[in-house]
Amino acid sequence: MMWPSIALLTFVTLQRLGELMLARRNTAALLAKGGREVAQEHYPVIVALHAAWIIGLWLLAPGRPVQPFWFLVFIGLQAMRLWVLATLKGRWTTRIIILPGAPLIRSGPYRFLRHPNYAIVAGEIAVLPLALGLPVFAIVFSLFNAATLHIRVKAENAALESAMILK
């Protein structure tokens, strides 16, 4: 049966495309309010990583059985993703945008983690391939994602500190 894996991949692909549209709208609104983008030089790497992840899954996963345990973990990650989006509202974007004078969000999942969205994405990058029976794929992309997130989190923390938001 091919349809469960194809349905899951279709969901994730449409979700990511929808999030890119939301991020583009939110980015434009934040910039219009005086926000400024920082550390954009690594953004194409993030886009390439995520595109390669989705393309790789589409090449390798159709027709593979969906593993129930990992699928349930993935569903849990989706609930946490929605919690992040609901908490950040118009401030959620895929770029690092500093909005002068805006306080740091400390509600929702941000009460527990400084960067919950990155933790969720790291989980998704590992868990979705595991749900589709691709453990080597999960490891390889998790390592690439960890390297990228190391750069991203460092850049975002520096930007927040320079804007004196973290102080």
Side-chain angles (χ1 to χ4, degrees):
M1 287 183 21
M2 290 183 67
W3 73 265
S5 59
I6 290 175
L8 184 54
L9 291 172
T10 300
F11 167 78
V12 171
T13 302
L14 293 175
Q15 176 191 52
R16 292 304 197 267
L17 291 172
E19 287 175 355
L20 285 174
M21 293 186 320
L22 175 63
R24 182 173 287 160
R25 186 185 73 204
N26 289 348
T27 295
L30 289 167
L31 294 174
K33 292 177 185 174
R36 61 181 169 79
E37 183 176 2
V38 297
Q40 59 265 46
E41 61 278 354
H42 70 272
Y43 187 71
V45 175
I46 290 173
V47 171
L49 173 76
H50 286 264
W53 178 73
I54 289 176
I55 291 166
L57 288 172
W58 273 106
L59 291 173
L60 298 173
R64 297 185 70 87
V66 176
Q67 307 298 314
F69 172 79
W70 291 111
F71 176 72
L72 291 174
V73 173
F74 182 76
I75 295 301
L77 289 168
Q78 297 317 291
M80 293 190 326
R81 172 184 281 284
L82 290 174
W83 191 20
V84 166
L85 291 168
T87 300
L88 291 179
K89 299 179 179 94
R91 289 179 57 186
W92 183 87
T93 182
T94 55
R95 297 178 178 270
I96 301 172
I97 308 292
I98 299 299
L99 187 59
L104 189 65
I105 301 289
R106 296 187 190 275
S107 60
Y110 293 85
R111 288 177 292 177
F112 309 107
L113 290 173
R114 182 178 277 181
H115 300 288
N117 192 60
Y118 299 147
I120 293 163
V121 170
E124 290 172 331
I125 284 177
V127 168
L128 186 58
L130 291 173
L132 295 166
L134 298 167
V136 173
F137 190 94
I139 292 167
V140 168
F141 273 88
S142 291
L143 291 172
F144 282 130
N145 186 56
T148 304
L149 279 180
H150 175 74
I151 295 164
R152 173 76 169 206
V153 169
K154 190 173 175 181
E156 188 166 322
N157 285 342
L160 292 171
E161 287 175 15
S162 73
M164 300 205 316
I165 293 174
L166 288 181
K167 295 182 181 188

